[in-house]
Amino acid sequence: MDFLDSLLNNIDEAVIITDPTGRILLFNEPALIQNNMLEATKPLKEGEYLINVSNPKRRKVISGIIKELNTKKQNEKSFVEYRNRQGATVYLDHNFVPVLNTENELSHIYLFVRDITPQKVYEKKLTTQATNMHTLIEQANAVIISVDTLGYITDWNTHSSVITGFQKDDVFARKISEILIIDHIDMKQGMDGIREIMIRTKNGEPKSLLLSQTPNKTGNGDVIGYTFVGQDVTELTGYRKSLEKKIAERTQQAQEALANERKAVEAKGRFVSMTSHELRTPLSTIQFATNYIRRNHAKISDDDLKGRLETIDRQVSNMTQLLEDVLAYSRAESGASTLQPGPIALKDFLNNSVEEVGHHNGNSHLVIKDFRHLPDVFKQDEKLLRNIIINLLNNAIKYSPGKDSVEMVVRKVHNDLIITVRDQGIGIEHNDQTKIFDPFVRSDQVSHIQGTGLGLSIVKKSLDLMKGSITVDSQPGFGSAFTVIIPEYQ
Ligand code: ADP
């Protein structure tokens, strides 16, 4: 019995043994300590009834349990919350075990009492934390959504409903990619850091969320899903996009302004070098001719003198043309030229223009004209039309050296006058065909032929004023055809 006493006294659990009526036969030291510690209990004593040493509030329950043990002869458990003498709460787990004799009658009752206060306190703490966490998630001013590894939604807070319009019941056990997210998220890989994701709300409206993703792991580190936390940044994104658009527009405007500025500076440079070159050549030719005449005026023959004077004439006319071109160009450039439409006696006007060009070029080329089916009168700005025809014909002749003719076809189709000037001259490289309408631009092949690079830009400006257009069709080595379309002034 000493051995049993020592065993009973050395276990942590309180043990009380009673007879079937609940009279105490034996108890161990932990039982005594535990009972003394509790409020409103009497000290344990052998021979005393269990209900008498218990807290008065528990007596009814204990007598009920003892009755049950006598009838049912099965374990009875009960969990009790007491106050100790210091007023703190103590949690005890009571386990009543019936001990039966060989006749299957109740011979004893074992009562094991375990103090589970630390576990209970821990459990309560966890429950409180979980409740707090749940409240926090529910009421957070952020979208919080959890999914499993296949992307099925498992958690959905109130703010998610506010932002998306989907209620919890709409989304549970549905795939996040099917119901909400437009952008693709690989659930196996997850996302890197924070990402802006496009979503679709219940009424189909697109919104952007700034989402971060955290893996949900089991105790041993296996990923069982993800939690997304996000903010609705639709407004911000819209604002940012409009800013980006504005910046892009401004940048483009600035670039265009810069390119125009650069073009103007280049044009100025080309203008200076062109005029100095174009003026120096005729001036030195004139100077040479006048010197010759001065030195030889006594012995010079009439023919020789006539030839020299013609040279001077030609050079003066070249310079006059150049100055006219420069003036016409700068007038057009400054916006000073305006449209001055009037009736033009078309055939006479065309024939005169052709004659003028022939004279200017010493009739080096025959101009093959096709002016059939033209009306008597065409209403447009005569000066501008003259600019166009003279420049195109002059170019056709100038850039077809060694050929003896160029062609000019004029037609009236509906409201438009269509003029084509064709030559079989040197032609224009494909790359140059769009550039030649810019001022002072001359192709590389023509450096040996006199020119200012202004003619076609004057043509272009004149056409702009008349709301006309020009196209070029040219093959290097085979010739060029320029076609202009000019609508009649209404
Ligand atoms: P310019 O004839 O004084 O050089 P233009 O503005 O009239 O100036 O012409 C620009 C450039 O276009 C010319 O320098 C030449 O390279 C090219 N071009 C124009 N007309 C023709 C043409 N009929 N054949 C070949 N090249 C031409």
Side-chain angles (χ1 to χ4, degrees), residues 391-392 395-400 423 425-428 436-438 440-446 449-457 474 479-480 482:
N391 271 300
L392 292 182
N395 280 352
I397 291 169
K398 193 162 63 166
Y399 297 117
S400 56
D423 64 63
I426 58 171
I428 308 162
I436 50 175
F437 299 99
D438 287 342
F440 311 113
V441 173
R442 308 195 71 221
S443 69
D444 291 339
Q445 305 113 279
V446 302
I449 302 174
Q450 249 192 356
T452 60
L454 274 177
L456 286 181
S457 59
S474 181
S480 312
F482 286 83

PDB file of all heavy atoms in Angstrom, residues 391-392 395-400 423 425-428 436-438 440-446 449-457 474 479-480 482, ligand 1:
ATOM      1  N   ASN A 391       7.397  76.502-113.871  1.00  0.00           N
ATOM      2  CA  ASN A 391       8.379  75.711-113.125  1.00  0.00           C
ATOM      3  C   ASN A 391       8.459  74.271-113.620  1.00  0.00           C
ATOM      4  O   ASN A 391       9.543  73.728-113.802  1.00  0.00           O
ATOM      5  CB  ASN A 391       8.048  75.723-111.628  1.00  0.00           C
ATOM      6  CG  ASN A 391       8.708  76.900-110.930  1.00  0.00           C
ATOM      7  OD1 ASN A 391       9.924  77.023-110.940  1.00  0.00           O
ATOM      8  ND2 ASN A 391       7.907  77.785-110.363  1.00  0.00           N
ATOM      9  N   LEU A 392       7.296  73.655-113.840  1.00  0.00           N
ATOM     10  CA  LEU A 392       7.308  72.256-114.270  1.00  0.00           C
ATOM     11  C   LEU A 392       7.923  72.122-115.664  1.00  0.00           C
ATOM     12  O   LEU A 392       8.736  71.215-115.917  1.00  0.00           O
ATOM     13  CB  LEU A 392       5.881  71.668-114.258  1.00  0.00           C
ATOM     14  CG  LEU A 392       5.248  71.506-112.875  1.00  0.00           C
ATOM     15  CD1 LEU A 392       3.853  70.872-112.995  1.00  0.00           C
ATOM     16  CD2 LEU A 392       6.115  70.637-111.964  1.00  0.00           C
ATOM     17  N   ASN A 395      11.712  72.751-115.535  1.00  0.00           N
ATOM     18  CA  ASN A 395      12.416  71.579-114.993  1.00  0.00           C
ATOM     19  C   ASN A 395      12.509  70.456-116.017  1.00  0.00           C
ATOM     20  O   ASN A 395      13.558  69.842-116.197  1.00  0.00           O
ATOM     21  CB  ASN A 395      11.694  71.046-113.751  1.00  0.00           C
ATOM     22  CG  ASN A 395      12.034  71.865-112.516  1.00  0.00           C
ATOM     23  OD1 ASN A 395      12.913  72.723-112.562  1.00  0.00           O
ATOM     24  ND2 ASN A 395      11.348  71.600-111.413  1.00  0.00           N
ATOM     25  N   ALA A 396      11.360  70.185-116.694  1.00  0.00           N
ATOM     26  CA  ALA A 396      11.347  69.088-117.672  1.00  0.00           C
ATOM     27  C   ALA A 396      12.430  69.317-118.722  1.00  0.00           C
ATOM     28  O   ALA A 396      13.162  68.390-119.104  1.00  0.00           O
ATOM     29  CB  ALA A 396       9.968  69.000-118.313  1.00  0.00           C
ATOM     30  N   ILE A 397      12.564  70.574-119.170  1.00  0.00           N
ATOM     31  CA  ILE A 397      13.571  70.891-120.205  1.00  0.00           C
ATOM     32  C   ILE A 397      14.979  70.821-119.614  1.00  0.00           C
ATOM     33  O   ILE A 397      15.881  70.178-120.155  1.00  0.00           O
ATOM     34  CB  ILE A 397      13.269  72.292-120.791  1.00  0.00           C
ATOM     35  CG1 ILE A 397      11.967  72.214-121.601  1.00  0.00           C
ATOM     36  CG2 ILE A 397      14.431  72.798-121.636  1.00  0.00           C
ATOM     37  CD1 ILE A 397      11.401  73.557-122.008  1.00  0.00           C
ATOM     38  N   LYS A 398      15.120  71.454-118.426  1.00  0.00           N
ATOM     39  CA  LYS A 398      16.442  71.538-117.790  1.00  0.00           C
ATOM     40  C   LYS A 398      16.997  70.153-117.470  1.00  0.00           C
ATOM     41  O   LYS A 398      18.186  69.894-117.623  1.00  0.00           O
ATOM     42  CB  LYS A 398      16.265  72.351-116.501  1.00  0.00           C
ATOM     43  CG  LYS A 398      17.541  72.798-115.865  1.00  0.00           C
ATOM     44  CD  LYS A 398      17.302  73.945-114.880  1.00  0.00           C
ATOM     45  CE  LYS A 398      16.417  73.541-113.719  1.00  0.00           C
ATOM     46  NZ  LYS A 398      16.453  74.527-112.629  1.00  0.00           N
ATOM     47  N   TYR A 399      16.113  69.219-117.029  1.00  0.00           N
ATOM     48  CA  TYR A 399      16.601  67.918-116.582  1.00  0.00           C
ATOM     49  C   TYR A 399      16.476  66.839-117.660  1.00  0.00           C
ATOM     50  O   TYR A 399      16.518  65.654-117.349  1.00  0.00           O
ATOM     51  CB  TYR A 399      15.887  67.506-115.277  1.00  0.00           C
ATOM     52  CG  TYR A 399      16.198  68.473-114.150  1.00  0.00           C
ATOM     53  CD1 TYR A 399      15.208  69.228-113.544  1.00  0.00           C
ATOM     54  CD2 TYR A 399      17.519  68.655-113.733  1.00  0.00           C
ATOM     55  CE1 TYR A 399      15.497  70.132-112.532  1.00  0.00           C
ATOM     56  CE2 TYR A 399      17.825  69.567-112.726  1.00  0.00           C
ATOM     57  CZ  TYR A 399      16.814  70.297-112.136  1.00  0.00           C
ATOM     58  OH  TYR A 399      17.134  71.180-111.158  1.00  0.00           O
ATOM     59  N   SER A 400      16.314  67.293-118.915  1.00  0.00           N
ATOM     60  CA  SER A 400      16.406  66.294-119.994  1.00  0.00           C
ATOM     61  C   SER A 400      17.377  66.806-121.054  1.00  0.00           C
ATOM     62  O   SER A 400      16.984  67.005-122.215  1.00  0.00           O
ATOM     63  CB  SER A 400      15.025  65.961-120.569  1.00  0.00           C
ATOM     64  OG  SER A 400      14.387  67.114-121.024  1.00  0.00           O
ATOM     65  N   ASP A 423       8.857  64.278-119.237  1.00  0.00           N
ATOM     66  CA  ASP A 423      10.117  64.358-119.995  1.00  0.00           C
ATOM     67  C   ASP A 423      10.762  62.992-120.025  1.00  0.00           C
ATOM     68  O   ASP A 423      10.309  62.067-119.339  1.00  0.00           O
ATOM     69  CB  ASP A 423      11.061  65.401-119.350  1.00  0.00           C
ATOM     70  CG  ASP A 423      11.479  65.002-117.953  1.00  0.00           C
ATOM     71  OD1 ASP A 423      12.152  63.956-117.798  1.00  0.00           O
ATOM     72  OD2 ASP A 423      11.135  65.730-116.980  1.00  0.00           O
ATOM     73  N   GLY A 425      14.076  62.608-119.391  1.00  0.00           N
ATOM     74  CA  GLY A 425      15.398  63.028-118.938  1.00  0.00           C
ATOM     75  C   GLY A 425      16.025  62.126-117.898  1.00  0.00           C
ATOM     76  O   GLY A 425      15.794  60.904-117.886  1.00  0.00           O
ATOM     77  N   ILE A 426      16.752  62.749-116.967  1.00  0.00           N
ATOM     78  CA  ILE A 426      17.597  61.972-116.040  1.00  0.00           C
ATOM     79  C   ILE A 426      16.787  61.243-114.971  1.00  0.00           C
ATOM     80  O   ILE A 426      17.267  60.293-114.369  1.00  0.00           O
ATOM     81  CB  ILE A 426      18.639  62.885-115.348  1.00  0.00           C
ATOM     82  CG1 ILE A 426      17.927  64.018-114.596  1.00  0.00           C
ATOM     83  CG2 ILE A 426      19.623  63.448-116.358  1.00  0.00           C
ATOM     84  CD1 ILE A 426      18.870  64.832-113.719  1.00  0.00           C
ATOM     85  N   GLY A 427      15.563  61.680-114.737  1.00  0.00           N
ATOM     86  CA  GLY A 427      14.735  61.008-113.721  1.00  0.00           C
ATOM     87  C   GLY A 427      15.169  61.354-112.294  1.00  0.00           C
ATOM     88  O   GLY A 427      16.151  62.070-112.074  1.00  0.00           O
ATOM     89  N   ILE A 428      14.413  60.825-111.322  1.00  0.00           N
ATOM     90  CA  ILE A 428      14.673  61.153-109.904  1.00  0.00           C
ATOM     91  C   ILE A 428      14.725  59.858-109.096  1.00  0.00           C
ATOM     92  O   ILE A 428      13.837  59.004-109.246  1.00  0.00           O
ATOM     93  CB  ILE A 428      13.541  62.046-109.331  1.00  0.00           C
ATOM     94  CG1 ILE A 428      13.310  63.264-110.242  1.00  0.00           C
ATOM     95  CG2 ILE A 428      13.845  62.492-107.914  1.00  0.00           C
ATOM     96  CD1 ILE A 428      11.978  63.948-110.027  1.00  0.00           C
ATOM     97  N   ILE A 436      11.903  66.432-102.789  1.00  0.00           N
ATOM     98  CA  ILE A 436      12.154  67.541-103.720  1.00  0.00           C
ATOM     99  C   ILE A 436      11.156  68.698-103.627  1.00  0.00           C
ATOM    100  O   ILE A 436      11.401  69.758-104.152  1.00  0.00           O
ATOM    101  CB  ILE A 436      12.207  67.046-105.194  1.00  0.00           C
ATOM    102  CG1 ILE A 436      10.977  66.191-105.487  1.00  0.00           C
ATOM    103  CG2 ILE A 436      13.507  66.313-105.471  1.00  0.00           C
ATOM    104  CD1 ILE A 436      10.888  65.761-106.935  1.00  0.00           C
ATOM    105  N   PHE A 437      10.034  68.466-102.904  1.00  0.00           N
ATOM    106  CA  PHE A 437       9.070  69.556-102.750  1.00  0.00           C
ATOM    107  C   PHE A 437       9.436  70.489-101.590  1.00  0.00           C
ATOM    108  O   PHE A 437       8.797  71.515-101.389  1.00  0.00           O
ATOM    109  CB  PHE A 437       7.650  68.999-102.574  1.00  0.00           C
ATOM    110  CG  PHE A 437       7.218  68.194-103.757  1.00  0.00           C
ATOM    111  CD1 PHE A 437       7.283  66.804-103.760  1.00  0.00           C
ATOM    112  CD2 PHE A 437       6.787  68.837-104.914  1.00  0.00           C
ATOM    113  CE1 PHE A 437       6.907  66.078-104.867  1.00  0.00           C
ATOM    114  CE2 PHE A 437       6.408  68.114-106.041  1.00  0.00           C
ATOM    115  CZ  PHE A 437       6.478  66.731-106.030  1.00  0.00           C
ATOM    116  N   ASP A 438      10.455  70.080-100.811  1.00  0.00           N
ATOM    117  CA  ASP A 438      10.934  70.956 -99.735  1.00  0.00           C
ATOM    118  C   ASP A 438      11.853  72.020-100.340  1.00  0.00           C
ATOM    119  O   ASP A 438      12.537  71.757-101.334  1.00  0.00           O
ATOM    120  CB  ASP A 438      11.748  70.144 -98.702  1.00  0.00           C
ATOM    121  CG  ASP A 438      10.832  69.279 -97.860  1.00  0.00           C
ATOM    122  OD1 ASP A 438       9.621  69.563 -97.833  1.00  0.00           O
ATOM    123  OD2 ASP A 438      11.331  68.310 -97.256  1.00  0.00           O
ATOM    124  N   PHE A 440      14.894  74.335-101.285  1.00  0.00           N
ATOM    125  CA  PHE A 440      16.361  74.209-101.408  1.00  0.00           C
ATOM    126  C   PHE A 440      16.865  72.778-101.491  1.00  0.00           C
ATOM    127  O   PHE A 440      18.048  72.532-101.356  1.00  0.00           O
ATOM    128  CB  PHE A 440      17.088  74.931-100.244  1.00  0.00           C
ATOM    129  CG  PHE A 440      16.601  76.328-100.024  1.00  0.00           C
ATOM    130  CD1 PHE A 440      15.923  76.678 -98.874  1.00  0.00           C
ATOM    131  CD2 PHE A 440      16.809  77.294-101.005  1.00  0.00           C
ATOM    132  CE1 PHE A 440      15.455  77.965 -98.683  1.00  0.00           C
ATOM    133  CE2 PHE A 440      16.344  78.596-100.819  1.00  0.00           C
ATOM    134  CZ  PHE A 440      15.662  78.937 -99.662  1.00  0.00           C
ATOM    135  N   VAL A 441      15.953  71.817-101.671  1.00  0.00           N
ATOM    136  CA  VAL A 441      16.406  70.428-101.786  1.00  0.00           C
ATOM    137  C   VAL A 441      16.608  70.116-103.263  1.00  0.00           C
ATOM    138  O   VAL A 441      15.711  70.307-104.083  1.00  0.00           O
ATOM    139  CB  VAL A 441      15.384  69.448-101.168  1.00  0.00           C
ATOM    140  CG1 VAL A 441      15.801  68.009-101.457  1.00  0.00           C
ATOM    141  CG2 VAL A 441      15.274  69.684 -99.677  1.00  0.00           C
ATOM    142  N   ARG A 442      17.818  69.646-103.587  1.00  0.00           N
ATOM    143  CA  ARG A 442      18.131  69.255-104.959  1.00  0.00           C
ATOM    144  C   ARG A 442      18.728  67.859-104.905  1.00  0.00           C
ATOM    145  O   ARG A 442      19.446  67.516-103.969  1.00  0.00           O
ATOM    146  CB  ARG A 442      19.151  70.224-105.581  1.00  0.00           C
ATOM    147  CG  ARG A 442      18.742  71.698-105.446  1.00  0.00           C
ATOM    148  CD  ARG A 442      19.550  72.581-106.359  1.00  0.00           C
ATOM    149  NE  ARG A 442      19.188  72.379-107.744  1.00  0.00           N
ATOM    150  CZ  ARG A 442      20.074  72.318-108.745  1.00  0.00           C
ATOM    151  NH1 ARG A 442      21.380  72.430-108.482  1.00  0.00           N
ATOM    152  NH2 ARG A 442      19.679  72.129-109.979  1.00  0.00           N
ATOM    153  N   SER A 443      18.443  67.015-105.880  1.00  0.00           N
ATOM    154  CA  SER A 443      19.001  65.658-105.812  1.00  0.00           C
ATOM    155  C   SER A 443      20.475  65.688-106.219  1.00  0.00           C
ATOM    156  O   SER A 443      20.944  66.638-106.858  1.00  0.00           O
ATOM    157  CB  SER A 443      18.188  64.719-106.716  1.00  0.00           C
ATOM    158  OG  SER A 443      18.425  65.066-108.056  1.00  0.00           O
ATOM    159  N   ASP A 444      21.179  64.622-105.808  1.00  0.00           N
ATOM    160  CA  ASP A 444      22.626  64.591-106.041  1.00  0.00           C
ATOM    161  C   ASP A 444      22.980  64.583-107.531  1.00  0.00           C
ATOM    162  O   ASP A 444      24.010  65.105-107.938  1.00  0.00           O
ATOM    163  CB  ASP A 444      23.228  63.330-105.394  1.00  0.00           C
ATOM    164  CG  ASP A 444      23.165  63.437-103.891  1.00  0.00           C
ATOM    165  OD1 ASP A 444      23.046  64.580-103.399  1.00  0.00           O
ATOM    166  OD2 ASP A 444      23.212  62.389-103.213  1.00  0.00           O
ATOM    167  N   GLN A 445      22.065  63.978-108.344  1.00  0.00           N
ATOM    168  CA  GLN A 445      22.416  63.839-109.772  1.00  0.00           C
ATOM    169  C   GLN A 445      22.462  65.176-110.504  1.00  0.00           C
ATOM    170  O   GLN A 445      22.886  65.223-111.643  1.00  0.00           O
ATOM    171  CB  GLN A 445      21.398  62.971-110.534  1.00  0.00           C
ATOM    172  CG  GLN A 445      21.155  61.613-109.996  1.00  0.00           C
ATOM    173  CD  GLN A 445      19.737  61.567-109.467  1.00  0.00           C
ATOM    174  OE1 GLN A 445      19.500  62.012-108.366  1.00  0.00           O
ATOM    175  NE2 GLN A 445      18.808  61.044-110.246  1.00  0.00           N
ATOM    176  N   VAL A 446      21.926  66.259-109.893  1.00  0.00           N
ATOM    177  CA  VAL A 446      21.774  67.501-110.676  1.00  0.00           C
ATOM    178  C   VAL A 446      22.770  68.585-110.283  1.00  0.00           C
ATOM    179  O   VAL A 446      22.593  69.743-110.664  1.00  0.00           O
ATOM    180  CB  VAL A 446      20.330  68.053-110.574  1.00  0.00           C
ATOM    181  CG1 VAL A 446      19.321  67.040-111.055  1.00  0.00           C
ATOM    182  CG2 VAL A 446      20.005  68.512-109.159  1.00  0.00           C
ATOM    183  N   ILE A 449      23.806  70.884-112.936  1.00  0.00           N
ATOM    184  CA  ILE A 449      22.787  71.678-113.638  1.00  0.00           C
ATOM    185  C   ILE A 449      22.364  72.827-112.723  1.00  0.00           C
ATOM    186  O   ILE A 449      22.116  72.599-111.540  1.00  0.00           O
ATOM    187  CB  ILE A 449      21.565  70.808-114.010  1.00  0.00           C
ATOM    188  CG1 ILE A 449      22.013  69.628-114.887  1.00  0.00           C
ATOM    189  CG2 ILE A 449      20.496  71.629-114.716  1.00  0.00           C
ATOM    190  CD1 ILE A 449      20.933  68.620-115.203  1.00  0.00           C
ATOM    191  N   GLN A 450      22.295  74.037-113.319  1.00  0.00           N
ATOM    192  CA  GLN A 450      21.947  75.206-112.511  1.00  0.00           C
ATOM    193  C   GLN A 450      20.551  75.098-111.891  1.00  0.00           C
ATOM    194  O   GLN A 450      19.625  74.605-112.554  1.00  0.00           O
ATOM    195  CB  GLN A 450      21.990  76.446-113.397  1.00  0.00           C
ATOM    196  CG  GLN A 450      23.140  77.338-113.035  1.00  0.00           C
ATOM    197  CD  GLN A 450      22.993  78.697-113.714  1.00  0.00           C
ATOM    198  OE1 GLN A 450      22.082  78.942-114.496  1.00  0.00           O
ATOM    199  NE2 GLN A 450      23.924  79.569-113.417  1.00  0.00           N
ATOM    200  N   GLY A 451      20.410  75.539-110.638  1.00  0.00           N
ATOM    201  CA  GLY A 451      19.083  75.502-110.018  1.00  0.00           C
ATOM    202  C   GLY A 451      19.153  75.997-108.590  1.00  0.00           C
ATOM    203  O   GLY A 451      20.231  76.095-108.002  1.00  0.00           O
ATOM    204  N   THR A 452      17.998  76.344-108.055  1.00  0.00           N
ATOM    205  CA  THR A 452      17.945  76.904-106.696  1.00  0.00           C
ATOM    206  C   THR A 452      17.293  75.955-105.696  1.00  0.00           C
ATOM    207  O   THR A 452      17.412  76.128-104.497  1.00  0.00           O
ATOM    208  CB  THR A 452      17.095  78.187-106.696  1.00  0.00           C
ATOM    209  OG1 THR A 452      15.787  77.843-107.138  1.00  0.00           O
ATOM    210  CG2 THR A 452      17.689  79.235-107.600  1.00  0.00           C
ATOM    211  N   GLY A 453      16.563  74.964-106.194  1.00  0.00           N
ATOM    212  CA  GLY A 453      15.823  74.077-105.283  1.00  0.00           C
ATOM    213  C   GLY A 453      14.561  74.743-104.757  1.00  0.00           C
ATOM    214  O   GLY A 453      13.959  74.283-103.787  1.00  0.00           O
ATOM    215  N   LEU A 454      14.150  75.841-105.418  1.00  0.00           N
ATOM    216  CA  LEU A 454      12.964  76.562-104.924  1.00  0.00           C
ATOM    217  C   LEU A 454      11.712  76.301-105.753  1.00  0.00           C
ATOM    218  O   LEU A 454      10.601  76.383-105.257  1.00  0.00           O
ATOM    219  CB  LEU A 454      13.234  78.071-104.954  1.00  0.00           C
ATOM    220  CG  LEU A 454      13.930  78.647-103.731  1.00  0.00           C
ATOM    221  CD1 LEU A 454      14.205  80.123-103.928  1.00  0.00           C
ATOM    222  CD2 LEU A 454      13.068  78.444-102.499  1.00  0.00           C
ATOM    223  N   GLY A 455      11.929  75.946-107.061  1.00  0.00           N
ATOM    224  CA  GLY A 455      10.800  75.853-107.998  1.00  0.00           C
ATOM    225  C   GLY A 455       9.667  74.975-107.494  1.00  0.00           C
ATOM    226  O   GLY A 455       8.520  75.430-107.405  1.00  0.00           O
ATOM    227  N   LEU A 456       9.970  73.716-107.126  1.00  0.00           N
ATOM    228  CA  LEU A 456       8.898  72.788-106.746  1.00  0.00           C
ATOM    229  C   LEU A 456       8.241  73.187-105.424  1.00  0.00           C
ATOM    230  O   LEU A 456       7.058  72.906-105.210  1.00  0.00           O
ATOM    231  CB  LEU A 456       9.429  71.357-106.657  1.00  0.00           C
ATOM    232  CG  LEU A 456       9.708  70.683-108.012  1.00  0.00           C
ATOM    233  CD1 LEU A 456      10.212  69.255-107.806  1.00  0.00           C
ATOM    234  CD2 LEU A 456       8.446  70.656-108.871  1.00  0.00           C
ATOM    235  N   SER A 457       9.020  73.848-104.536  1.00  0.00           N
ATOM    236  CA  SER A 457       8.380  74.257-103.278  1.00  0.00           C
ATOM    237  C   SER A 457       7.406  75.408-103.538  1.00  0.00           C
ATOM    238  O   SER A 457       6.360  75.495-102.892  1.00  0.00           O
ATOM    239  CB  SER A 457       9.406  74.623-102.207  1.00  0.00           C
ATOM    240  OG  SER A 457      10.212  75.666-102.649  1.00  0.00           O
ATOM    241  N   SER A 474       8.498  58.804-111.560  1.00  0.00           N
ATOM    242  CA  SER A 474       9.796  58.970-112.230  1.00  0.00           C
ATOM    243  C   SER A 474      10.653  57.720-112.122  1.00  0.00           C
ATOM    244  O   SER A 474      10.574  56.984-111.140  1.00  0.00           O
ATOM    245  CB  SER A 474      10.531  60.157-111.580  1.00  0.00           C
ATOM    246  OG  SER A 474      11.763  60.346-112.217  1.00  0.00           O
ATOM    247  N   GLY A 479      13.213  59.255-117.221  1.00  0.00           N
ATOM    248  CA  GLY A 479      12.383  60.454-117.268  1.00  0.00           C
ATOM    249  C   GLY A 479      11.391  60.558-116.129  1.00  0.00           C
ATOM    250  O   GLY A 479      11.298  59.656-115.292  1.00  0.00           O
ATOM    251  N   SER A 480      10.677  61.688-116.133  1.00  0.00           N
ATOM    252  CA  SER A 480       9.739  61.969-115.036  1.00  0.00           C
ATOM    253  C   SER A 480       8.442  62.507-115.602  1.00  0.00           C
ATOM    254  O   SER A 480       8.425  63.114-116.669  1.00  0.00           O
ATOM    255  CB  SER A 480      10.310  63.053-114.113  1.00  0.00           C
ATOM    256  OG  SER A 480      11.642  62.764-113.783  1.00  0.00           O
ATOM    257  N   PHE A 482       5.260  64.818-113.939  1.00  0.00           N
ATOM    258  CA  PHE A 482       4.619  65.491-112.804  1.00  0.00           C
ATOM    259  C   PHE A 482       3.175  65.759-113.184  1.00  0.00           C
ATOM    260  O   PHE A 482       2.905  66.276-114.284  1.00  0.00           O
ATOM    261  CB  PHE A 482       5.309  66.827-112.510  1.00  0.00           C
ATOM    262  CG  PHE A 482       6.656  66.664-111.838  1.00  0.00           C
ATOM    263  CD1 PHE A 482       7.801  66.406-112.581  1.00  0.00           C
ATOM    264  CD2 PHE A 482       6.778  66.772-110.460  1.00  0.00           C
ATOM    265  CE1 PHE A 482       9.031  66.258-111.969  1.00  0.00           C
ATOM    266  CE2 PHE A 482       8.016  66.622-109.839  1.00  0.00           C
ATOM    267  CZ  PHE A 482       9.150  66.368-110.586  1.00  0.00           C
TER     268      PHE A 482
HETATM  269  P1  ADP B   1      15.745  73.389-109.016  1.00  0.00           P
HETATM  270  O1  ADP B   1      15.264  72.836-110.294  1.00  0.00           O
HETATM  271  O2  ADP B   1      16.015  74.832-109.077  1.00  0.00           O
HETATM  272  O3  ADP B   1      16.868  72.615-108.467  1.00  0.00           O
HETATM  273  P2  ADP B   1      13.159  72.579-108.014  1.00  0.00           P
HETATM  274  O4  ADP B   1      12.522  72.809-106.690  1.00  0.00           O
HETATM  275  O5  ADP B   1      12.393  72.978-109.214  1.00  0.00           O
HETATM  276  O6  ADP B   1      14.590  73.247-107.951  1.00  0.00           O
HETATM  277  O7  ADP B   1      13.456  71.027-108.098  1.00  0.00           O
HETATM  278  C1  ADP B   1      14.023  70.378-107.011  1.00  0.00           C
HETATM  279  C2  ADP B   1      14.812  69.170-107.486  1.00  0.00           C
HETATM  280  O8  ADP B   1      13.918  68.188-108.017  1.00  0.00           O
HETATM  281  C3  ADP B   1      15.755  69.431-108.586  1.00  0.00           C
HETATM  282  O9  ADP B   1      16.986  69.939-108.117  1.00  0.00           O
HETATM  283  C4  ADP B   1      15.925  68.045-109.199  1.00  0.00           C
HETATM  284  O10 ADP B   1      16.838  67.296-108.445  1.00  0.00           O
HETATM  285  C5  ADP B   1      14.540  67.474-109.052  1.00  0.00           C
HETATM  286  N1  ADP B   1      13.715  67.624-110.251  1.00  0.00           N
HETATM  287  C6  ADP B   1      12.681  68.476-110.429  1.00  0.00           C
HETATM  288  N2  ADP B   1      12.106  68.295-111.641  1.00  0.00           N
HETATM  289  C7  ADP B   1      12.795  67.305-112.244  1.00  0.00           C
HETATM  290  C8  ADP B   1      12.709  66.637-113.503  1.00  0.00           C
HETATM  291  N3  ADP B   1      11.783  66.970-114.418  1.00  0.00           N
HETATM  292  N4  ADP B   1      13.580  65.655-113.766  1.00  0.00           N
HETATM  293  C9  ADP B   1      14.522  65.300-112.868  1.00  0.00           C
HETATM  294  N5  ADP B   1      14.674  65.885-111.654  1.00  0.00           N
HETATM  295  C10 ADP B   1      13.822  66.882-111.363  1.00  0.00           C
END
